Amino acid sequence: MPESWWGNAIFSLIPTIMLGLIFWMVLRMIIRGDRTARREYDRIEAEERAKAGLPPKGERPLAAADAAAEADAPPQVATTPPADGPPRA
């Protein structure tokens, strides 16, 4: 064990710094592995959807998209604001 103040400071900080670096490296590997796995899963899913003749993920078939658009559309009512309406407060 070092006897000087600086030696003690360095000797006590080295384990903390090393553990911090190990923790950072492990988390980095986990995050990168997850990102790579998700990318590969998406690639495989896209290939399987193409083999099955389905549209790419996130796209709806044309007939279903048209039906959904008609169902979601507000009714077509022509309204015009009054020309000389009362003043708003």
Side-chain angles (χ1 to χ4, degrees):
M1 196 103 152
E3 296 297 325
S4 71
W5 188 86
W6 284 106
N8 277 334
I10 291 172
F11 192 72
S12 63
L13 289 177
I14 287 177
T16 305
I17 292 170
M18 292 304 292
L19 282 175
L21 286 173
I22 291 170
F23 180 73
W24 175 74
M25 287 173 53
V26 168
L27 280 179
R28 183 174 179 243
M29 286 188 288
I30 290 170
I31 291 171
R32 283 186 171 198
D34 181 59
R35 180 175 50 209
T36 303
R38 287 176 189 255
R39 188 179 303 135
E40 285 299 309
Y41 179 80
D42 288 342
R43 183 186 61 79
I44 291 169
E45 184 180 7
E47 287 176 4
E48 292 299 319
R49 289 180 72 86
K51 285 180 189 176
L54 297 171
K57 186 176 179 181
E59 290 184 17
R60 295 185 298 190
L62 187 57
D66 290 340
E70 288 177 12
D72 292 340
Q76 298 293 329
V77 178
T79 60
T80 57
D84 295 308
R88 295 184 184 177

